[in-house]
Amino acid sequence: MRNYIAILLLLGASVSNAQLKLPRLFADHMVLQRDQPIKVWGWSKPASSITVAFNGKSKKVKSDKQGYFESYLDAQRAGGPFVLTVSNKDTAIVVNDVLVGDVWVASGQSNMEWQLQWNVNNWEDEVKDSDYPEMRFFKVPNEYASSPQSDINGGSWMLANEENSPQFSAVAWFFAKKNHLEKEVPVGIVESHWGGTPAEAWTTIETLAKTPGYETIADTIINPNTPWSEIEKENEQKDARKWELMRDKEGAVATGAQFVDFDDSKWTVYDLPCNCKMTDLTWLRREVSLDPDTISSVELFVSNVVQEAFVFFNGELIWSKQWNEDTKPLVISPDLIRKGKNVITYRVANSWDNNVYFGRPDEMWLAVNGSKISLEGSWKYSNAIEPKIPMAIKMFQMPSFLYNAKIAPIAGYTVRGVIWYQGESNADKPQYYKELFSNMIKDWRREWGYEMPFLYVQLANFMQRQELPINSNWAQLREAQTQTLELPKTAMTVTIDIGNADDIHPRNKKDVGERLWLAAKKVSFGDEVVYSGPSFSSVARNGHDVIVKFDHLGGGLNSEGPVQGFALAGEDDVWYWAEAEIRNNEIVLSSDNVSDPVQVSYALGDNPEANLYNREGLPAVPFKAEIKPQ
């Protein structure tokens, strides 16, 4: 596949100019994988002699007819800094400050992309403890492509320090820091992720053409009615215009819709918060009556402002909210407060699906002198003040497009393994995920040429907690993730206990990264550690009781308070919570609502109350299983 990519894409690039070229990953401050043969590749004149020199040794290799070459350095012990030199008779490329240690690819969607500085828990303290020059991060640019690319178009290796670390993937940071400190070796992280992306975007089109549920769309990618180059060009223009409109502060201000005396008499009245349809550049206005003579402090707060906004008070812009920022109480300057009528104005837009959301019950208020005045109720709404937002296709979600641009160019860079956090964007089709995800992992391993460890995060708890257990899409997606453990050298990190009902991006990334590290210690390093919480082993009836046994007990089953999260169902497939207790490191269940249980589950639902752990503090794996007749 690598040679195929080189043939397709280098005929008009490296071969035509006949210059020696290395992939962008091979750059100053890079980290190479220890204890494995290290692949070095690039492009030169066809059939030219190339010398690769590193740490006192050199190897010669000849480029093929298209100019592609590859060589393998002998396995190296951790250390450095070293110099890597690649040369032909005309040119020498020198790569300085090269370390040898452990290298990982960190991939997935926004929860892997989420940077330390995006309000991760205690991120400022973490940044103060981030001066580790032997930890390096390389961020693969966000680009997509309709065919496999030979190289990426940007990026550099960044050393961990207080200036750089806020930009790093938080999950990858906490993982890498553990690797670096515990194994005492340099660590390199290649970040290749993109928020809001499904697994099919990271999979080869050839594999998707043979994957159930994706055959038809794969065919449209392979045989488009319009050339992809034309589709991409038109789409990029729409997307650029969308962001231009969304972030056009001057244009928003020029409308005058933020001023107290603006005529909003013809606007629609909505009783917010609600499930009202609000789209495009949404303007919302609300009047409040205040007396500045009696006021010492005023704060404004509205939650769930999705996703970008300009916030005005009496015509003055007081906040510009970006998509990755949390809403927060906004202090209103006393100079802005008028006697009598005051106007709060929001201009909100959602780049994701053009549907604007605004507020939650009990989370819309004005705090005057510390006392909250509810802002729920009547707001004026209009989306006719500014032009409509052009809706572009999300090209980065297209099947195979991210594999082509963000994986194919780096495949082969010798790594210890992959850490992966994704699944949210496939929760609408959980029935396909197990085979899709498994095939994607096989794809990557085939492209790398070896069975590298693949460690991934199961979906966290999210959304409103249901009164009864429900086999929701998120629950089914979690089950598919668990089933993927059938593949060798895989491990799954459970996060059913550290999510956020109101935010798909939970801010506790430390536990995620450190739990992934435990999995790496077991699967990649072979350390004897407890790396998983209790996982379902078997279930049996004993009279009226149901007995559930587990693997990965560690020091034994544990819970804080009564065990929560187990449920039983009869032949009618109706689930009820069950009474549960720990006996001899087994769970004993019973339910007055289910006289003849045929199914058992744990943590079934979007955001279940579940509190079973082992004594090492790792949460039990959600599951659903049949109960054999007595």
Side-chain angles (χ1 to χ4, degrees):
M1 183 71 171
R2 296 290 303 178
N3 285 335
Y4 168 70
I5 295 170
I7 292 170
L8 281 180
L9 297 159
L10 295 174
L11 285 173
S14 295
V15 173
S16 64
N17 58 35
Q19 292 179 351
L20 182 64
K21 181 176 181 287
L22 294 177
R24 285 186 179 268
L25 273 175
F26 288 84
D28 290 351
H29 316 305
M30 69 189 295
V31 183
L32 298 176
Q33 178 58 45
R34 63 177 170 139
D35 302 331
Q36 293 178 222
I38 301 166
K39 183 176 178 179
V40 178
W41 74 94
W43 306 273
S44 181
K45 295 178 182 178
S48 61
S49 178
I50 311 296
T51 301
V52 180
F54 184 75
N55 194 18
K57 295 183 179 181
S58 64
K59 291 195 173 185
K60 290 187 180 296
V61 66
K62 198 170 186 178
S63 62
D64 63 18
K65 293 179 181 180
Q66 288 74 39
Y68 176 79
F69 68 87
E70 64 180 47
S71 179
Y72 284 85
L73 300 171
D74 294 337
Q76 306 280 324
R77 297 179 63 182
F82 302 114
V83 174
L84 171 68
T85 303
V86 181
S87 59
N88 59 20
K89 68 175 184 177
D90 302 315
T91 309
I93 297 176
V94 179
V95 184
N96 294 299
D97 188 30
V98 180
L99 301 181
V100 178
D102 290 328
V103 183
W104 300 86
V105 173
S107 191
Q109 56 183 109
S110 55
N111 271 310
M112 182 59 82
E113 178 183 24
W114 206 262
Q115 298 178 15
L116 273 173
Q117 64 186 347
W118 292 349
N119 290 325
V120 167
N121 293 354
N122 303 313
W123 74 273
E124 290 168 316
D125 290 338
E126 189 63 31
V127 167
K128 292 177 183 176
D129 182 30
S130 65
D131 188 14
Y132 296 97
E134 290 191 344
M135 291 174 60
R136 282 97 186 271
F137 284 64
F138 187 105
K139 192 166 295 187
V140 175
N142 276 358
E143 297 177 327
Y144 54 81
S146 57
S147 60
Q149 303 298 293
S150 62
D151 201 3
I152 54 181
N153 291 318
S156 62
W157 287 95
M158 302 175 68
L159 277 63
N161 53 45
E162 289 191 45
E163 179 182 359
N164 292 333
S165 65
Q167 308 167 53
F168 296 160
S169 158
V171 168
W173 167 259
F174 289 114
F175 175 90
K177 191 174 181 180
K178 280 288 189 179
N179 189 164
H180 177 54
L181 295 178
E182 290 193 17
K183 297 300 181 181
E184 298 182 331
V185 297
V187 175
I189 299 290
V190 180
E191 295 191 42
S192 187
H193 40 57
W194 196 325
T197 54
E200 59 266 27
W202 299 93
T203 308
T204 66
I205 201 65
E206 295 84 1
T207 292
L208 291 172
K210 297 178 288 186
T211 301
Y214 298 92
E215 305 98 328
T216 301
I217 193 168
D219 183 65
T220 66
I221 300 295
I222 297 168
N223 303 298
N225 293 327
T226 304
W228 280 110
S229 58
E230 295 181 20
I231 297 172
E232 291 172 18
K233 183 177 180 180
E234 179 182 355
N235 205 65
E236 286 171 2
Q237 292 172 346
K238 288 182 178 180
D239 198 56
R241 178 59 175 158
K242 174 185 72 177
W243 286 102
E244 179 186 7
L245 287 170
M246 282 184 55
R247 293 183 172 173
D248 183 10
K249 181 169 63 176
E250 290 74 18
V253 170
T255 66
Q258 72 277 18
F259 293 124
V260 174
D261 57 358
F262 182 84
D263 183 7
D264 59 12
S265 59
K266 295 182 179 180
W267 287 21
T268 302
V269 177
Y270 278 150
D271 191 19
L272 297 176
C274 67
N275 290 323
C276 317
K277 185 70 172 178
M278 298 186 290
T279 63
D280 297 287
L281 299 173
T282 287
W283 285 85
L284 295 164
R285 286 166 56 91
R286 165 87 182 216
E287 294 183 13
V288 292
S289 182
L290 299 172
D291 183 357
D293 296 334
T294 63
I295 293 174
S296 59
S297 67
V298 177
E299 286 188 334
L300 166 65
F301 179 74
V302 176
S303 70
N304 195 36
V305 178
V306 179
Q307 56 183 178
E308 304 217 350
F310 297 131
V311 185
F312 303 87
F313 191 89
N314 285 342
E316 290 293 324
L317 180 66
I318 59 174
W319 190 34
S320 297
K321 178 188 179 297
Q322 299 280 304
W323 71 271
N324 58 351
E325 292 182 294
D326 296 325
T327 52
K328 58 186 179 182
L330 305 174
V331 176
I332 308 299
S333 170
D335 296 338
L336 295 180
I337 300 170
R338 300 183 177 190
K339 190 175 185 65
K341 177 181 176 182
N342 293 259
V343 175
I344 301 165
T345 309
Y346 280 74
R347 190 261 218 176
V348 191
N350 185 352
S351 73
W352 189 249
D353 60 9
N354 201 31
N355 290 313
V356 168
Y357 303 93
F358 188 78
R360 294 192 187 95
D362 301 320
E363 296 180 4
M364 304 172 63
W365 43 261
L366 202 68
V368 178
N369 298 338
S371 298
K372 292 181 180 178
I373 301 171
S374 175
L375 295 178
E376 296 178 45
S378 297
W379 285 72
K380 294 287 191 72
Y381 159 76
S382 176
N383 67 350
I385 303 300
E386 297 179 87
K388 300 294 185 183
I389 293 177
M391 291 309 297
I393 302 170
K394 295 182 179 68
M395 302 295 287
F396 58 90
Q397 293 182 330
M398 296 296 289
S400 79
F401 275 37
L402 294 190
Y403 171 83
N404 292 336
K406 291 173 68 73
I407 297 301
I410 67 172
Y413 190 87
T414 308
V415 298
R416 185 155 208 123
V418 176
I419 56 174
W420 172 266
Y421 194 162
Q422 191 275 338
E424 298 90 342
S425 289
N426 286 96
D428 60 331
K429 297 178 181 178
Q431 68 273 27
Y432 300 120
Y433 192 76
K434 190 259 182 175
E435 188 159 2
L436 170 64
F437 186 34
S438 298
N439 285 348
M440 189 207 82
I441 294 172
K442 294 174 187 176
D443 251 357
W444 289 26
R445 287 173 167 175
R446 183 168 53 250
E447 293 306 301
W448 257 269
Y450 55 97
E451 199 173 67
M452 71 271 204
F454 203 104
L455 319 171
Y456 57 93
V457 182
Q458 191 183 52
L459 291 184
N461 50 310
F462 174 55
M463 295 181 283
Q464 184 176 351
R465 179 162 290 170
Q466 297 95 348
E467 184 177 344
L468 291 173
I470 180 171
N471 195 21
S472 63
N473 282 354
W474 274 55
Q476 293 176 57
L477 198 286
R478 291 191 191 102
E479 184 176 19
Q481 290 174 314
T482 302
Q483 292 169 347
T484 305
L485 292 172
E486 295 171 5
L487 290 180
K489 294 187 178 180
T490 57
M492 183 178 72
T493 290
V494 175
T495 59
I496 196 68
D497 59 329
I498 53 177
N500 186 324
D502 298 326
D503 196 336
I504 202 169
H505 303 119
R507 300 304 197 266
N508 180 357
K509 303 300 187 192
K510 187 173 189 286
D511 282 342
V512 180
E514 294 186 350
R515 289 175 184 178
L516 276 171
W517 171 241
L518 288 175
K521 289 175 71 174
K522 177 64 176 180
V523 176
S524 181
F525 295 91
D527 295 352
E528 289 301 318
V529 296
V530 177
Y531 71 98
S532 171
S535 63
F536 172 79
S537 174
S538 64
V539 60
R541 294 278 297 274
N542 183 9
H544 293 292
D545 291 336
V546 173
I547 313 298
V548 183
K549 296 183 178 181
F550 293 87
D551 294 324
H552 299 289
L553 289 171
L557 297 179
N558 190 37
S559 70
E560 292 187 6
V563 179
Q564 304 288 334
F566 282 90
L568 296 170
E571 292 287 353
D572 58 3
D573 201 32
V574 177
W575 290 93
Y576 294 93
W577 298 119
E579 296 291 326
E581 63 174 301
I582 300 171
R583 294 184 200 164
N584 300 318
N585 276 330
E586 300 173 343
I587 293 292
V588 181
L589 304 175
S590 62
S591 173
D592 294 336
N593 295 308
V594 186
S595 59
D596 188 18
V598 298
Q599 293 184 88
V600 60
S601 69
Y602 174 71
L604 191 67
D606 299 324
N607 183 17
E609 185 175 0
N611 67 346
L612 183 66
Y613 294 79
N614 54 28
R615 292 196 178 276
E616 285 75 12
L618 296 174
V621 181
F623 73 88
K624 181 168 66 72
E626 294 183 0
I627 305 172
K628 294 181 180 180
Q630 295 188 79

